[in-house]
Amino acid sequence: QVQLVESGGGSVQAGGSLKLSCAASGDIFNRCGMGWYRQAPGQERELVSSISSSGSTTYVDSVKGRFTISQDNVKNTLYLQMNSLKTEDTAVYYCAARKWGWYVYLWQCSPDYNYWGQGTQVTVSS
């Protein structure tokens, strides 16, 4: 099991910045990838950014150039630096992790996220 605890959310004006953190504990060596999701009221949860164990990153188009995902493997912490925030970035942000396992007869990284944090609210006002 992996436990994930997010922090760093809050309220900020449009154009401002926030940095989210996600502290991982438990069976951390079984992690093979991590990501940040967000869910706004009335909307589906979307993957904002991800990072693999090799450091490869992905971003949803709406945050490219504004958000940066990173991880500190010594501190077992995932980060999301959010700059130039917009009102449409308002959402609950969730940290998630994938684990190694047997999938389709292969030992590989899970195609889905297996562990989730409790979420942290980000509110951007105009």
Side-chain angles (χ1 to χ4, degrees), residues 26-46:
D27 189 13
I28 58 176
F29 295 105
N30 198 27
R31 290 180 296 137
C32 56
M34 298 193 72
W36 287 99
Y37 278 77
R38 68 184 178 187
Q39 186 168 23
Q43 298 187 21
E44 293 187 357
R45 187 175 297 188
E46 70 167 347

Side-chain angles (χ1 to χ4, degrees), residues 29 39 55 60 63 82-83 120:
F29 295 105
Q39 186 168 23
V60 69
V63 307
M82 306 185 294
N83 299 328
T120 186

